[in-house]
Amino acid sequence: THLKQRKNTNKHLRPYKERETKPTFSLFRVCKEHKKNMRDLIYLLWINHRLKVMMVMMMFVSWRCVLGLENINPIFFDEGLSHLFGEANLIRSPDDRSVRLLLDKYTGSGFISSNMYQHGFFSSLIKLPGAYTAGLVVAFYTSNGDVFVKNHDELDIEFLGNVEGKPWRFQTNMYGNGSTNRGREERYRLWFDPSKEFHRYSILWNPTKIIFWVDDVPIREIIRKEEMKGDYPQKPMSLYATIWDASSWATSGGKFGVDYAFSPFVSEFKDVALDGCNVSDSFPNNNNNNTVGYNYINCSASDQDLMTSDYSTISPKQAAAMRRFRERYMYYSYCYDTVRYAVPPPECVIVTAEKDRFRDTGRLKFGGSHRARKRRKRNRSTPVVSADQ
Protein backbone atom coordinates (compact mmCIF):
# COMPACT_ATOMS: atom_id res chain seq x y z
CA THR A 1 0.00 0.00 0.00
CA HIS A 2 2.83 2.38 0.85
CA LEU A 3 4.53 1.76 -2.50
CA LYS A 4 1.23 2.26 -4.33
CA GLN A 5 0.66 5.57 -2.55
CA ARG A 6 4.21 6.68 -3.35
CA LYS A 7 3.72 5.69 -6.98
CA ASN A 8 0.46 7.65 -7.16
CA THR A 9 2.11 10.64 -5.54
CA ASN A 10 4.89 10.61 -8.10
CA LYS A 11 2.27 10.33 -10.81
CA HIS A 12 0.58 13.50 -9.57
CA LEU A 13 3.88 15.33 -9.24
CA ARG A 14 4.96 14.59 -12.80
CA PRO A 15 2.91 17.39 -14.44
CA TYR A 16 4.37 19.96 -12.05
CA LYS A 17 7.94 19.13 -12.98
CA GLU A 18 7.08 19.94 -16.57
CA ARG A 19 5.62 23.32 -15.51
CA GLU A 20 8.21 24.49 -12.97
CA THR A 21 9.86 26.90 -15.38
CA LYS A 22 6.57 28.39 -16.59
CA PRO A 23 4.92 31.52 -15.13
CA THR A 24 3.28 31.33 -11.73
CA PHE A 25 -0.25 31.62 -13.12
CA SER A 26 0.13 28.20 -14.76
CA LEU A 27 0.69 26.67 -11.36
CA PHE A 28 -2.62 27.98 -10.14
CA ARG A 29 -4.36 26.61 -13.22
CA VAL A 30 -2.87 23.20 -12.49
CA CYS A 31 -3.93 23.62 -8.89
CA LYS A 32 -7.55 23.90 -9.99
CA GLU A 33 -7.16 20.70 -11.97
CA HIS A 34 -5.46 18.84 -9.13
CA LYS A 35 -6.81 20.24 -5.86
CA LYS A 36 -5.36 17.33 -3.90
CA ASN A 37 -1.85 18.49 -4.76
CA MET A 38 -2.08 21.89 -3.08
CA ARG A 39 0.69 20.88 -0.71
CA ASP A 40 2.95 20.22 -3.67
CA LEU A 41 2.12 23.64 -5.10
CA ILE A 42 2.90 25.33 -1.78
CA TYR A 43 6.20 23.45 -1.64
CA LEU A 44 7.15 24.71 -5.11
CA LEU A 45 6.24 28.28 -4.17
CA TRP A 46 8.28 27.91 -0.99
CA ILE A 47 11.27 26.81 -3.07
CA ASN A 48 10.74 29.85 -5.30
CA HIS A 49 10.61 32.10 -2.22
CA ARG A 50 13.88 30.65 -0.93
CA LEU A 51 15.54 31.43 -4.25
CA LYS A 52 14.39 35.05 -3.97
CA VAL A 53 15.77 35.28 -0.44
CA MET A 54 19.10 33.90 -1.64
CA MET A 55 19.20 36.50 -4.43
CA VAL A 56 18.57 39.30 -1.93
CA MET A 57 21.34 37.95 0.29
CA MET A 58 23.72 37.85 -2.68
CA MET A 59 22.85 41.46 -3.53
CA PHE A 60 23.51 42.45 0.10
CA VAL A 61 26.89 40.71 0.07
CA SER A 62 27.84 42.43 -3.19
CA TRP A 63 26.82 45.81 -1.67
CA ARG A 64 29.04 45.18 1.33
CA CYS A 65 31.93 44.37 -0.99
CA VAL A 66 31.57 47.73 -2.77
CA LEU A 67 32.71 49.60 0.34
CA GLY A 68 34.74 46.77 1.79
CA LEU A 69 32.16 46.34 4.54
CA GLU A 70 32.92 42.63 4.67
CA ASN A 71 36.08 43.71 6.53
CA ILE A 72 34.18 45.80 9.08
CA ASN A 73 33.80 44.05 12.41
CA PRO A 74 30.98 45.51 14.53
CA ILE A 75 31.66 45.58 18.24
CA PHE A 76 29.56 44.89 21.30
CA PHE A 77 28.78 47.97 23.36
CA ASP A 78 30.90 46.69 26.25
CA GLU A 79 33.84 46.05 23.92
CA GLY A 80 34.53 49.64 22.99
CA LEU A 81 31.78 52.07 24.04
CA SER A 82 30.59 53.63 27.26
CA HIS A 83 27.84 55.93 28.52
CA LEU A 84 28.48 59.66 28.06
CA PHE A 85 25.40 61.44 29.49
CA GLY A 86 21.68 60.91 30.04
CA GLU A 87 22.15 57.36 31.28
CA ALA A 88 18.42 56.78 31.83
CA ASN A 89 17.84 57.70 28.17
CA LEU A 90 20.46 55.30 26.85
CA ILE A 91 18.91 51.87 26.24
CA ARG A 92 21.09 48.97 25.19
CA SER A 93 19.67 45.99 23.34
CA PRO A 94 19.71 42.51 24.96
CA ASP A 95 22.38 41.31 22.49
CA ASP A 96 24.51 44.43 23.24
CA ARG A 97 24.83 45.15 19.49
CA SER A 98 22.65 48.26 19.37
CA VAL A 99 21.75 51.21 21.54
CA ARG A 100 18.87 53.66 21.57
CA LEU A 101 19.48 57.30 22.43
CA LEU A 102 16.45 59.24 23.66
CA LEU A 103 15.69 62.90 24.10
CA ASP A 104 12.89 64.03 26.41
CA LYS A 105 12.13 67.28 28.22
CA TYR A 106 14.63 66.37 30.93
CA THR A 107 17.72 65.35 28.99
CA GLY A 108 19.26 64.02 25.83
CA SER A 109 21.77 61.17 25.80
CA GLY A 110 24.96 59.95 24.24
CA PHE A 111 27.82 57.47 24.24
CA ILE A 112 31.58 57.70 23.67
CA SER A 113 34.24 55.24 22.61
CA SER A 114 36.18 53.81 25.54
CA ASN A 115 39.45 54.57 23.76
CA MET A 116 41.07 57.32 21.71
CA TYR A 117 42.34 56.63 18.20
CA GLN A 118 45.16 58.13 16.18
CA HIS A 119 43.37 57.96 12.80
CA GLY A 120 40.64 55.44 12.14
CA PHE A 121 37.48 54.30 10.39
CA PHE A 122 34.32 54.96 12.39
CA SER A 123 30.99 53.59 11.21
CA SER A 124 27.48 52.80 12.37
CA LEU A 125 24.04 51.86 11.11
CA ILE A 126 21.74 54.67 12.25
CA LYS A 127 17.98 55.22 12.22
CA LEU A 128 16.61 58.65 13.12
CA PRO A 129 13.37 59.74 14.83
CA GLY A 130 10.32 60.35 12.64
CA ALA A 131 7.36 62.76 12.56
CA TYR A 132 8.06 66.20 14.09
CA THR A 133 11.81 66.53 14.70
CA ALA A 134 12.41 70.30 14.46
CA GLY A 135 15.17 71.56 16.74
CA LEU A 136 16.78 68.13 17.11
CA VAL A 137 20.37 67.27 16.39
CA VAL A 138 21.59 63.68 16.19
CA ALA A 139 25.36 63.65 15.89
CA PHE A 140 27.91 60.98 14.98
CA TYR A 141 31.38 62.46 15.23
CA THR A 142 34.97 62.25 16.42
CA SER A 143 36.55 64.78 18.76
CA ASN A 144 39.26 65.36 21.37
CA GLY A 145 37.67 68.43 22.92
CA ASP A 146 37.76 66.88 26.40
CA VAL A 147 41.54 66.53 26.19
CA PHE A 148 42.65 69.45 24.02
CA VAL A 149 40.23 72.08 25.25
CA LYS A 150 41.51 75.10 23.31
CA ASN A 151 43.00 73.42 20.25
CA HIS A 152 40.80 70.40 19.66
CA ASP A 153 40.12 68.52 16.42
CA GLU A 154 36.73 67.32 15.25
CA LEU A 155 34.99 65.52 12.37
CA ASP A 156 31.19 65.77 12.35
CA ILE A 157 28.16 64.18 10.80
CA GLU A 158 25.21 66.11 12.23
CA PHE A 159 21.59 65.34 11.36
CA LEU A 160 19.27 68.34 11.58
CA GLY A 161 15.59 67.71 12.36
CA ASN A 162 12.64 69.37 10.65
CA VAL A 163 8.93 70.09 11.00
CA GLU A 164 6.57 67.24 10.25
CA GLY A 165 6.25 66.51 6.55
CA LYS A 166 9.66 68.00 5.71
CA PRO A 167 12.82 65.89 5.42
CA TRP A 168 15.82 65.60 7.67
CA ARG A 169 18.93 67.42 6.48
CA PHE A 170 22.49 66.87 7.57
CA GLN A 171 25.91 68.46 7.50
CA THR A 172 29.54 67.40 7.66
CA ASN A 173 32.25 69.51 9.22
CA MET A 174 35.95 69.48 9.99
CA TYR A 175 37.85 71.40 12.64
CA GLY A 176 41.59 71.24 13.21
CA ASN A 177 43.63 72.60 16.10
CA GLY A 178 40.75 74.60 17.54
CA SER A 179 39.85 76.25 14.23
CA THR A 180 36.17 76.62 15.14
CA ASN A 181 36.16 80.13 13.63
CA ARG A 182 37.10 78.51 10.31
CA GLY A 183 34.22 76.07 10.01
CA ARG A 184 34.33 73.88 6.95
CA GLU A 185 30.73 72.71 6.80
CA GLU A 186 28.77 71.35 3.89
CA ARG A 187 25.01 70.76 4.07
CA TYR A 188 22.92 68.24 2.19
CA ARG A 189 19.60 66.51 1.73
CA LEU A 190 19.23 62.73 1.52
CA TRP A 191 17.77 60.58 -1.24
CA PHE A 192 15.87 58.48 1.33
CA ASP A 193 13.96 58.90 4.58
CA PRO A 194 16.52 58.18 7.36
CA SER A 195 13.73 57.54 9.87
CA LYS A 196 12.26 54.57 7.96
CA GLU A 197 15.20 52.18 8.08
CA PHE A 198 18.85 51.89 9.01
CA HIS A 199 21.59 53.32 6.81
CA ARG A 200 25.33 53.18 7.35
CA TYR A 201 27.22 56.42 7.95
CA SER A 202 31.01 56.34 8.09
CA ILE A 203 34.02 58.58 8.63
CA LEU A 204 37.48 57.67 7.36
CA TRP A 205 40.38 59.64 8.82
CA ASN A 206 43.95 58.72 7.89
CA PRO A 207 47.19 60.74 7.59
CA THR A 208 46.43 61.85 4.01
CA LYS A 209 42.67 62.16 3.61
CA ILE A 210 39.22 62.26 5.17
CA ILE A 211 36.18 60.68 3.51
CA PHE A 212 32.56 60.85 4.66
CA TRP A 213 30.35 57.98 3.48
CA VAL A 214 26.59 57.35 3.34
CA ASP A 215 26.10 53.64 2.70
CA ASP A 216 28.40 52.90 -0.27
CA VAL A 217 28.43 56.49 -1.56
CA PRO A 218 31.35 58.81 -0.68
CA ILE A 219 29.77 62.22 -0.24
CA ARG A 220 32.84 64.29 0.63
CA GLU A 221 36.60 63.85 0.35
CA ILE A 222 39.20 66.14 1.96
CA ILE A 223 42.76 65.65 0.74
CA ARG A 224 45.40 66.89 3.16
CA LYS A 225 47.63 69.68 1.85
CA GLU A 226 50.70 71.22 3.41
CA GLU A 227 49.04 74.65 3.30
CA MET A 228 46.42 73.42 5.78
CA LYS A 229 49.05 73.07 8.52
CA GLY A 230 47.29 72.52 11.86
CA ASP A 231 43.84 72.82 10.32
CA TYR A 232 44.05 69.16 9.37
CA PRO A 233 43.08 66.99 12.40
CA GLN A 234 46.23 65.34 13.73
CA LYS A 235 45.65 64.52 17.40
CA PRO A 236 43.97 61.35 18.79
CA MET A 237 40.19 61.48 18.90
CA SER A 238 37.31 59.57 20.46
CA LEU A 239 34.07 58.58 18.75
CA TYR A 240 30.83 60.17 19.99
CA ALA A 241 27.11 59.72 19.30
CA THR A 242 24.54 62.08 20.82
CA ILE A 243 20.98 63.37 20.57
CA TRP A 244 20.25 66.82 21.96
CA ASP A 245 18.10 69.96 21.85
CA ALA A 246 19.49 72.53 19.41
CA SER A 247 16.35 74.64 19.11
CA SER A 248 18.39 77.84 18.84
CA TRP A 249 19.79 76.99 15.39
CA ALA A 250 19.08 73.50 14.00
CA THR A 251 15.88 74.18 12.01
CA SER A 252 15.47 77.31 9.87
CA GLY A 253 18.02 79.15 11.99
CA GLY A 254 16.06 78.57 15.19
CA LYS A 255 12.62 79.44 13.84
CA PHE A 256 11.28 76.04 14.87
CA GLY A 257 12.28 74.46 18.18
CA VAL A 258 11.81 71.08 19.82
CA ASP A 259 8.17 70.27 20.62
CA TYR A 260 8.23 67.89 23.56
CA ALA A 261 4.63 66.87 22.91
CA PHE A 262 6.25 64.46 20.43
CA SER A 263 8.85 63.16 22.89
CA PRO A 264 10.60 60.95 23.58
CA PHE A 265 12.58 61.24 20.37
CA VAL A 266 14.41 57.99 19.66
CA SER A 267 17.51 57.48 17.52
CA GLU A 268 19.06 54.04 17.19
CA PHE A 269 22.65 53.01 16.52
CA LYS A 270 23.72 49.46 15.75
CA ASP A 271 26.70 47.54 14.37
CA VAL A 272 29.11 50.26 15.46
CA ALA A 273 32.59 49.69 14.05
CA LEU A 274 35.90 51.16 15.24
CA ASP A 275 39.05 50.46 13.27
CA GLY A 276 42.22 52.41 14.02
CA CYS A 277 45.26 52.84 16.22
CA ASN A 278 44.12 52.64 19.85
CA VAL A 279 46.38 55.00 21.76
CA SER A 280 44.60 55.23 25.11
CA ASP A 281 47.05 52.96 26.93
CA SER A 282 50.09 54.90 25.74
CA PHE A 283 48.55 58.38 25.61
CA PRO A 284 49.94 60.32 28.61
CA ASN A 285 48.05 62.62 30.93
CA ASN A 286 44.70 62.51 29.16
CA ASN A 287 43.13 64.86 31.67
CA ASN A 288 45.88 67.49 31.69
CA ASN A 289 45.46 68.93 28.18
CA ASN A 290 48.84 67.44 27.27
CA THR A 291 49.73 68.33 23.68
CA VAL A 292 53.10 66.61 23.40
CA GLY A 293 52.93 62.88 24.06
CA TYR A 294 50.76 61.86 21.10
CA ASN A 295 53.56 62.66 18.63
CA TYR A 296 55.59 59.75 19.97
CA ILE A 297 52.99 57.03 19.47
CA ASN A 298 53.84 54.61 16.67
CA CYS A 299 50.76 53.94 14.54
CA SER A 300 52.55 53.23 11.26
CA ALA A 301 51.13 49.71 10.82
CA SER A 302 47.57 50.81 11.51
CA ASP A 303 47.95 53.88 9.29
CA GLN A 304 49.18 51.70 6.44
CA ASP A 305 46.09 49.50 6.78
CA LEU A 306 43.82 52.55 6.77
CA MET A 307 45.48 53.98 3.67
CA THR A 308 45.22 50.74 1.71
CA SER A 309 41.77 49.59 2.82
CA ASP A 310 38.82 49.43 0.43
CA TYR A 311 37.04 52.34 2.08
CA SER A 312 40.07 54.63 1.68
CA THR A 313 39.98 54.37 -2.12
CA ILE A 314 37.19 55.81 -4.23
CA SER A 315 36.56 53.76 -7.33
CA PRO A 316 35.50 55.39 -10.63
CA LYS A 317 31.89 54.25 -10.02
CA GLN A 318 31.93 55.69 -6.51
CA ALA A 319 33.46 58.94 -7.79
CA ALA A 320 30.57 59.22 -10.26
CA ALA A 321 28.10 58.53 -7.44
CA MET A 322 29.73 61.24 -5.31
CA ARG A 323 29.48 63.72 -8.18
CA ARG A 324 25.78 62.90 -8.65
CA PHE A 325 25.14 63.28 -4.92
CA ARG A 326 26.81 66.66 -4.72
CA GLU A 327 25.00 67.89 -7.84
CA ARG A 328 21.58 66.81 -6.59
CA TYR A 329 21.68 67.07 -2.80
CA MET A 330 24.36 69.51 -1.59
CA TYR A 331 22.78 72.91 -0.89
CA TYR A 332 25.64 74.69 0.94
CA SER A 333 29.43 74.53 0.71
CA TYR A 334 31.94 76.73 2.49
CA CYS A 335 34.23 76.46 -0.54
CA TYR A 336 31.84 78.70 -2.54
CA ASP A 337 31.04 81.08 0.32
CA THR A 338 33.05 84.13 -0.74
CA VAL A 339 31.41 86.22 1.97
CA ARG A 340 33.18 84.15 4.60
CA TYR A 341 36.24 83.23 2.58
CA ALA A 342 37.41 85.68 -0.09
CA VAL A 343 40.05 83.08 -0.88
CA PRO A 344 38.82 79.48 -0.55
CA PRO A 345 40.67 77.41 2.09
CA PRO A 346 43.56 75.43 0.60
CA GLU A 347 41.85 72.03 0.62
CA CYS A 348 38.95 73.27 -1.54
CA VAL A 349 38.73 71.86 -5.05
CA ILE A 350 36.62 74.28 -7.02
CA VAL A 351 34.36 72.45 -9.46
CA THR A 352 33.00 74.77 -12.14
CA ALA A 353 29.68 72.93 -12.40
CA GLU A 354 29.21 73.26 -8.62
CA LYS A 355 30.35 76.88 -8.45
CA ASP A 356 27.86 77.93 -11.15
CA ARG A 357 24.98 76.60 -9.05
CA PHE A 358 25.83 78.59 -5.91
CA ARG A 359 25.51 82.17 -4.81
CA ASP A 360 28.50 83.99 -3.37
CA THR A 361 27.19 82.89 0.04
CA GLY A 362 27.75 79.22 -0.80
CA ARG A 363 24.00 78.51 -1.03
CA LEU A 364 22.08 77.36 -4.07
CA LYS A 365 20.94 80.17 -6.35
CA PHE A 366 17.38 78.83 -6.18
CA GLY A 367 17.45 78.20 -2.44
CA GLY A 368 17.97 74.89 -0.69
CA SER A 369 14.71 73.35 -1.85
CA HIS A 370 15.38 73.32 -5.62
CA ARG A 371 11.90 74.84 -6.16
CA ALA A 372 12.49 75.74 -9.80
CA ARG A 373 13.79 72.28 -10.56
CA LYS A 374 10.83 70.64 -8.81
CA ARG A 375 8.35 72.56 -10.96
CA ARG A 376 10.02 71.30 -14.10
CA LYS A 377 10.25 67.72 -12.88
CA ARG A 378 7.13 67.42 -10.77
CA ASN A 379 6.14 64.05 -12.16
CA ARG A 380 9.56 62.48 -11.81
CA SER A 381 10.51 60.30 -8.89
CA THR A 382 13.39 61.22 -6.58
CA PRO A 383 16.65 59.99 -8.11
CA VAL A 384 18.63 57.41 -6.19
CA VAL A 385 22.33 57.86 -5.71
CA SER A 386 24.24 54.62 -5.85
CA ALA A 387 27.76 53.52 -6.66
CA ASP A 388 26.23 50.88 -8.93
CA GLN A 389 24.56 53.42 -11.21
Side-chain angles (χ1 to χ4, degrees):
T1 301
H2 176 72
L3 291 174
K4 187 182 294 184
Q5 290 176 346
R6 182 175 180 182
K7 183 177 180 181
N8 291 336
T9 301
N10 290 337
K11 180 180 178 180
H12 288 302
L13 282 174
R14 196 173 298 120
Y16 295 97
K17 293 182 178 178
E18 297 172 358
R19 299 171 183 258
E20 282 182 15
T21 58
K22 294 184 179 181
T24 306
F25 69 85
S26 66
L27 292 176
F28 287 99
R29 188 169 63 250
V30 174
C31 177
K32 291 180 180 179
E33 299 171 1
H34 304 276
K35 294 182 179 180
K36 293 182 180 181
N37 292 313
M38 179 62 76
R39 287 181 302 175
D40 299 324
L41 175 61
I42 293 174
Y43 176 74
L44 291 174
L45 293 174
W46 178 70
I47 291 293
N48 186 44
H49 176 70
R50 289 187 65 186
L51 290 173
K52 290 180 180 179
V53 172
M54 291 177 64
M55 290 178 65
V56 171
M57 292 178 64
M58 291 175 66
M59 291 173 63
F60 177 72
V61 170
S62 64
W63 171 80
R64 289 175 64 90
C65 291
V66 170
L67 180 55
L69 294 179
E70 74 280 3
N71 296 322
I72 293 178
N73 297 314
I75 62 171
F76 293 103
F77 191 93
D78 274 341
E79 285 181 328
L81 306 171
S82 58
H83 158 256
L84 179 63
F85 73 100
E87 187 170 6
N89 282 355
L90 187 152
I91 303 172
R92 292 160 56 175
S93 64
D95 64 1
D96 212 32
R97 284 289 194 185
S98 66
V99 58
R100 291 185 175 184
L101 299 182
L102 281 63
L103 169 68
D104 57 28
K105 62 181 179 180
Y106 301 106
T107 183
S109 54
F111 63 80
I112 183 175
S113 62
S114 304
N115 301 304
M116 300 186 73
Y117 296 87
Q118 180 67 38
H119 306 126
F121 180 77
F122 311 92
S123 182
S124 179
L125 290 168
I126 303 174
K127 186 165 69 171
L128 302 177
Y132 186 96
T133 57
L136 290 184
V137 169
V138 176
F140 182 75
Y141 65 104
T142 64
S143 177
N144 47 36
D146 292 339
V147 179
F148 303 96
V149 177
K150 296 182 179 180
N151 58 346
H152 83 284
D153 305 307
E154 191 169 319
L155 296 171
D156 298 326
I157 298 178
E158 291 182 316
F159 302 95
L160 311 177
N162 216 332
V163 296
E164 192 165 7
K166 291 192 176 182
W168 279 85
R169 300 190 178 194
F170 76 110
Q171 63 184 23
T172 61
N173 212 334
M174 177 189 74
Y175 300 112
N177 205 33
S179 59
T180 54
N181 63 328
R182 296 189 298 278
R184 290 166 158 86
E185 70 270 21
E186 291 184 345
R187 293 186 177 180
Y188 328 87
R189 296 176 296 114
L190 287 162
W191 64 95
F192 53 82
D193 185 344
S195 68
K196 296 298 185 183
E197 57 186 6
F198 285 94
H199 288 270
R200 182 167 288 279
Y201 305 89
S202 309
I203 302 171
L204 168 76
W205 167 49
N206 69 31
T208 62
K209 69 174 68 173
I210 295 163
I211 304 177
F212 294 90
W213 294 86
V214 176
D215 291 332
D216 63 335
V217 178
I219 63 168
R220 180 180 181 184
E221 180 181 34
I222 302 170
I223 303 296
R224 183 178 184 179
K225 294 185 177 180
E226 289 298 325
E227 296 85 349
M228 295 178 70
K229 300 180 180 179
D231 282 358
Y232 188 87
Q234 300 176 54
K235 300 182 288 294
M237 291 193 279
S238 300
L239 173 68
Y240 293 79
T242 57
I243 182 172
W244 52 289
D245 185 330
S247 295
S248 62
W249 65 271
T251 306
S252 300
K255 182 178 180 181
F256 301 99
V258 174
D259 185 347
Y260 286 102
F262 294 90
S263 67
F265 302 96
V266 182
S267 59
E268 190 167 358
F269 296 76
K270 72 177 182 178
D271 289 351
V272 179
L274 301 171
D275 183 13
C277 183
N278 179 356
V279 299
S280 291
D281 293 338
S282 53
F283 191 71
N285 301 322
N286 278 4
N287 297 321
N288 296 328
N289 200 27
N290 188 299
T291 62
V292 179
Y294 69 91
N295 286 319
Y296 299 96
I297 300 171
N298 185 359
C299 290
S300 56
S302 175
D303 287 347
Q304 183 63 26
D305 289 340
L306 287 172
M307 289 190 290
T308 57
S309 62
D310 293 335
Y311 40 77
S312 69
T313 303
I314 298 177
S315 70
K317 283 187 177 181
Q318 291 168 335
M322 180 166 66
R323 184 179 63 254
R324 289 192 297 271
F325 172 84
R326 296 175 70 81
E327 288 175 353
R328 297 171 181 175
Y329 300 105
M330 184 173 70
Y331 67 91
Y332 173 81
S333 172
Y334 71 104
C335 287
Y336 304 110
D337 191 341
T338 58
V339 174
R340 291 174 62 190
Y341 302 107
V343 177
E347 74 277 4
C348 285
V349 177
I350 303 300
V351 179
T352 302
E354 290 182 2
K355 183 178 180 180
D356 291 343
R357 296 170 51 240
F358 288 91
R359 299 180 187 272
D360 293 337
T361 58
R363 295 186 177 276
L364 289 177
K365 291 181 179 179
F366 298 107
S369 62
H370 290 278
R371 290 187 184 91
R373 183 176 299 181
K374 283 186 177 180
R375 284 197 294 269
R376 293 194 300 269
K377 300 182 179 181
R378 185 174 298 171
N379 296 325
R380 299 186 184 183
S381 59
T382 303
V384 176
V385 176
S386 171
D388 293 329
Q389 287 183 334

